[in-house]
């Protein structure tokens, strides 16, 4: 059979996947408007596990209210959401798949009238068509989001997820810091690639300190913005190497 290797086991960190079929994160809109897990969401993801996928990445859960991208986005900001997240993780794992929770912050695409980002870059919101100027994050803001991601990762582990995936794609906060198009900072979090990589790498380091080396972390990467002044494939290669050095288990 041409694709028989798809059904062979694969070792990922200390996890043995039953095959090489995985489900990547994608929004469903099945959580409540206040970010809680619903029975419909549990059923949806449990069905994918029953379909024999080996690893299922649950859609991006917002790590704080100011990072929500849409109203019914799943939340992982505090223990209020623990019970539902536990039910979701157990529903996935019941049929033998590993459960992964993606953690996300929208940055300039977050809801509200004054979203935060790397710099005060003007843009037109693709959903509302409003013209928005993002507020540049202070160092205190940056430290607060690092804490939010770390706390959300601890919550995911407590809820029974086998892994977490740091959401660095879709043009959200971490990719806004990586991109020279949206990062115009002149402090340690801006400038050349080393500075623009600092926030996502600091985030990984903080999560690993909290969870230990044995808990796998994945990273969703936007590898090329396909813009003359954007994040490029060559930069992505360098950044990917840094993520690997930092102990990231896989790149999406």
């Amino acid at each position: 059979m041409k694709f028989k290797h798809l059904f062979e086991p694969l070792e990922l960190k200390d996890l043995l996947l039953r095959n090489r079929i995985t489900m990547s994160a994608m929004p469903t809109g099945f959580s409540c408007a206040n970010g809680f897990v619903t029975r419909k969401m549990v059923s949806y993801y449990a069905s994918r596990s029953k379909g024999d996928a080996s690893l299922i990445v649950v859609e991006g859960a917002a790590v704080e209210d100011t990072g929500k991208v849409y109203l019914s986005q799943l939340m992982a900001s505090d223990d209020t959401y623990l019970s539902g997240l536990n039910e979701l993780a157990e529903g996935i794992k019941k049929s033998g798949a590993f459960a992964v929770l993606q953690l996300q912050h929208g940055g300039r695409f977050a809801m509200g009238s004054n979203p935060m980002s790397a710099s005060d870059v003007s843009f037109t919101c693709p959903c509302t068509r409003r013209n928005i100027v993002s507020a540049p994050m202070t160092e205190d803001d940056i430290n607060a989001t690092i804490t939010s991601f770390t706390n959300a990762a601890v919550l995911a582990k407590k809820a029974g997820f086998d892994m977490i995936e740091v959401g660095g794609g879709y043009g959200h906060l971490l990719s806004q810091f990586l991109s020279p198009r949206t990062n115009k900072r002149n402090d340690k979090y801006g400038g050349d690639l080393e500075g623009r990589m600092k926030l996502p790498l600091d985030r990984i380091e903080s999560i690993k300190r909290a969870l230990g080396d044995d808990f796998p972390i994945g990273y969703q990467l936007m590898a090329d913005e396909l813009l003359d002044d954007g994040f490029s494939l060559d930069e992505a290669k360098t950044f990917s190497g840094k993520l690997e050095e930092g102990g990231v288990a896989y790149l999406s």
Side-chain angles (χ1 to χ4, degrees), residues 233-247:
L233 185 58
D234 284 340
E235 289 185 321
K237 291 176 182 178
T238 300
F239 179 52
S240 297
K242 293 292 185 181
L243 289 171
E244 185 178 10
E245 289 173 15

Side-chain angles (χ1 to χ4, degrees), residues 12 55 57 100 163-165 217-220 247-252:
L12 182 63
L55 183 146
V57 185
V100 186
M163 296 180 61
I164 58 113
E165 180 178 283
I217 301 171
Y219 192 96
Q220 181 194 51
V248 167
Y250 74 84
L251 293 177
S252 169

Side-chain angles (χ1 to χ4, degrees), residues 20 23 28 62 72 80 83 89 105 110 128 130-131 137 162 164 179 197 209-210 212 216 218 227 238:
R20 297 159 191 239
M23 176 182 175
T28 63
S72 61
T80 307
S83 176
H105 189 299
T128 64
R130 292 183 299 124
N131 189 62
M137 296 175 75
D162 301 294
I164 58 113
S179 173
M197 290 190 298
R209 280 200 307 269
L227 298 168
T238 300

Side-chain angles (χ1 to χ4, degrees), residues 108 113-117 119-124 130-136:
R108 68 182 186 145
S113 58
N114 195 32
M116 296 188 299
S117 185
S119 304
D120 53 348
V121 177
S122 175
F123 71 103
T124 301
R130 292 183 299 124
N131 189 62
I132 297 173
V133 179
S134 53

Side-chain angles (χ1 to χ4, degrees), residues 28-32 34-48 50 59 74 83-85 87-89 91-92:
T28 63
F30 289 161
S31 57
C32 296
N34 53 10
F36 286 95
V37 171
T38 62
R39 289 184 178 178
K40 184 176 184 179
M41 176 175 274
V42 174
S43 176
Y44 173 85
Y45 282 105
S47 295
R48 273 68 195 165
K50 290 176 183 176
E59 61 201 80
L74 187 64
S83 176
L85 290 171
E87 187 178 352
L88 179 56
I92 293 169

